[in-house]
Amino acid sequence: MSNNQFHSNQRYFTICIYTVFVILAACIIFRLLFHWNATVAIITTFISHMSSFVIGILIAFMVNPLVNYIHNDLLIKRLNVQRKKLAQMLSITISYLIVLGFIAICLVYVIPQLISSLSDLSANIPQMFTTFSFWLRRIAYSKEFVNNTMINNLINNLSPKIMELSTTLASKIIPWLYSASISFVKLIITIIIALVVSIYLLADKKLIFHTFKKILYAFLPVSTAKSVIEIGKNCNQIFTGYIVAKAIDSLIIGILCCIIMSILNLPYSVLVSVIVGVTNMIPYFGPYIGAIPGVILLTVLRLKYGIIFLIMIICLQQFDGLILGPRLLGDSTGLRPILILFAITIGGAYMGIIGMFLGVPVIAVLQYLLTLLIDKKLKQKNITV
């Protein structure tokens, strides 16, 4: 009877587990390569239906550094809060009050200012075009090498299109605001659900990480599981650190731009500052992308405004590049300039503006993983470079 008893072999069991995972991975790769359009459609449909949960995960991912700072540095170290549950609840509550307070300020102050600036801009388009036409004609008449006929034809062809643009903006701004309001209400409902999801994720993050660790230790060797956990922490630190630091940097630059423009009595300060702050999220090219619309808009209104704004934005970007940026970002990515340019180019080609921003931390994480792999291979070969 004992001869027929089954004895498990840990080695062959491990080989079977790896074989199953390899076959599963091969099936997934085959599906991705040979049924790409169908796979993309399935993923897109799933994400659209699960948008609240996806946004909730992103919110939790973004708010988590603030929660950690308030929990560890403020409540535990400075206020000496001993009860762990209380410290966790307070850190999450304070973090969301800060985030929601900032959103409320944007809704109460920034959004109405943006709408007012866009309405005023649409009403001033004919006058701006007249000023711009006069400026072009004066240059054409004062410079002999400029073709007067070409300038006149350009102005005559643009004039009806500009008038049509002004009329279209003025007539469609109310319907646009109505449709935007409906979309905004739907977005608010989605965000409310996403906020609830993110709060639960942050409250249970230790349980989630603990479960993930148990899975790793159950299916992987102890040393491999420890390495995966350590690598995951470092990747999260690189990605999150860059995004948070760059967001704070861009917010400060946008606020400073608005304050300085208000002091200098430059028009459309809120509209231009929002453009400058948002585009500042893009490394290298962002400041120039954000400055060009402002320079053109203010120059058309008045040449003096454009010159003042250009000098101001150059000084502001020098302050950002030499003082503010290095203090906030430091060497958070570890990328050389050529790799940053590569990340911006690839990200912009496939995902537009968002890709230009996210491309940098993604390439930074990939560089970190590749460096670990190379160092491991060199160590196995006892080679020192």
Side-chain angles (χ1 to χ4, degrees):
M1 190 72 177
S2 60
N3 293 332
N4 297 326
Q5 186 177 1
F6 174 76
H7 297 280
S8 64
N9 190 311
Q10 185 66 29
R11 178 185 176 187
Y12 289 111
F13 179 75
T14 304
I15 293 174
C16 290
I17 292 295
Y18 278 119
T19 303
V20 170
F21 277 108
V22 168
I23 294 174
L24 181 62
C27 293
I28 293 174
I29 293 173
F30 177 83
R31 174 74 182 183
L32 290 175
L33 292 178
F34 294 96
H35 300 84
W36 178 250
N37 292 332
T39 304
V40 171
I42 293 172
I43 294 173
T44 304
T45 304
F46 177 78
I47 292 176
S48 64
H49 289 308
M50 301 293 293
S51 58
S52 298
F53 288 89
V54 173
I55 296 173
I57 294 172
L58 293 176
I59 293 174
F61 184 77
M62 296 296 295
V63 178
N64 186 55
L66 180 60
V67 173
N68 290 337
Y69 173 78
I70 294 175
H71 181 274
N72 298 328
D73 296 345
L74 183 62
L75 297 178
I76 302 299
K77 292 182 180 179
R78 297 187 181 182
L79 300 180
N80 196 25
V81 178
Q82 299 296 328
R83 296 173 59 184
K84 294 182 178 180
K85 285 288 185 181
L86 179 61
Q88 183 185 31
M89 292 175 58
L90 286 175
S91 61
I92 294 174
T93 303
I94 295 172
S95 299
Y96 276 89
L97 287 176
I98 293 173
V99 173
L100 294 176
F102 175 74
I103 294 174
I105 292 173
C106 292
L107 293 176
V108 172
Y109 179 72
V110 177
I111 302 298
Q113 290 287 330
L114 286 175
I115 295 174
S116 176
S117 297
L118 290 172
S119 301
D120 184 56
L121 182 62
S122 65
N124 289 331
I125 284 178
Q127 181 183 354
M128 294 167 59
F129 179 72
T130 302
T131 305
F132 181 68
S133 302
F134 176 76
W135 182 61
L136 281 179
R137 284 195 173 100
R138 188 170 63 179
I139 293 177
Y141 292 140
S142 62
K143 305 295 183 181
E144 295 181 358
F145 57 85
V146 178
N147 192 331
N148 295 341
T149 304
M150 184 182 69
I151 296 295
N152 289 328
N153 290 335
L154 176 64
I155 294 173
N156 293 332
N157 291 331
L158 285 177
S159 181
K161 296 180 180 180
I162 295 297
M163 296 303 175
E164 181 183 355
L165 175 62
S166 177
T167 305
T168 302
L169 285 175
S171 61
K172 291 187 177 181
I173 191 167
I174 300 300
W176 177 82
L177 289 176
Y178 175 75
S179 61
S181 300
I182 296 176
S183 300
F184 181 73
V185 171
K186 294 180 180 178
L187 179 62
I188 288 296
I189 296 174
T190 302
I191 289 178
I192 290 175
I193 299 174
L195 285 173
V196 174
V197 172
S198 66
I199 291 172
Y200 278 113
L201 287 174
L202 289 173
D204 295 335
K205 64 180 181 181
K206 289 186 177 180
L207 177 62
I208 295 172
F209 292 152
H210 181 68
T211 304
F212 181 70
K213 286 182 180 179
K214 287 175 65 177
I215 294 173
L216 289 178
Y217 281 115
F219 292 99
L220 295 176
V222 175
S223 59
T224 305
K226 289 182 178 179
S227 299
V228 171
I229 294 171
E230 185 67 24
I231 292 171
K233 288 181 179 179
N234 292 334
C235 290
N236 176 67
Q237 185 176 1
I238 293 171
F239 195 87
T240 308
Y242 175 82
I243 291 179
V244 173
K246 194 62 179 176
I248 295 174
D249 175 73
S250 300
L251 177 63
I252 294 174
I253 292 299
I255 294 173
L256 287 177
C257 181
C258 185
I259 293 173
I260 297 173
M261 288 185 69
S262 300
I263 294 174
L264 296 174
N265 292 322
L266 295 176
Y268 303 115
S269 59
V270 176
L271 177 63
V272 173
S273 298
V274 169
I275 296 174
V276 169
V278 172
T279 55
N280 193 71
M281 298 284 287
I282 303 172
Y284 288 141
F285 302 110
Y288 303 102
I289 296 174
I292 291 173
V295 171
I296 294 175
L297 175 61
L298 296 177
T299 301
V300 170
L301 286 174
R302 196 170 180 181
L303 181 60
K304 182 177 73 172
Y305 289 159
I307 295 174
I308 293 174
F309 175 77
L310 181 61
I311 296 173
M312 182 210 77
I313 205 69
I314 290 174
C315 296
L316 188 62
Q317 293 302 334
Q318 290 300 313
F319 165 74
D320 182 30
L322 298 176
I323 300 175
L324 182 63
R327 288 182 178 273
L328 290 176
L329 293 169
D331 193 22
S332 58
T333 61
L335 292 179
R336 303 300 299 170
I338 185 64
L339 284 178
I340 294 178
L341 293 175
F342 174 77
I344 295 172
T345 304
I346 296 298
Y350 286 97
M351 296 182 63
I353 297 296
I354 297 178
M356 294 176 73
F357 168 59
L358 293 180
V360 174
V362 169
I363 293 296
V365 170
L366 293 178
Q367 177 190 249
Y368 166 73
L369 296 175
L370 182 60
T371 302
L372 286 180
L373 179 62
I374 293 173
D375 291 342
K376 180 180 179 181
K377 294 296 182 182
L378 291 176
K379 186 177 180 180
Q380 291 175 351
K381 296 180 178 181
N382 293 325
I383 298 176
T384 302
V385 180

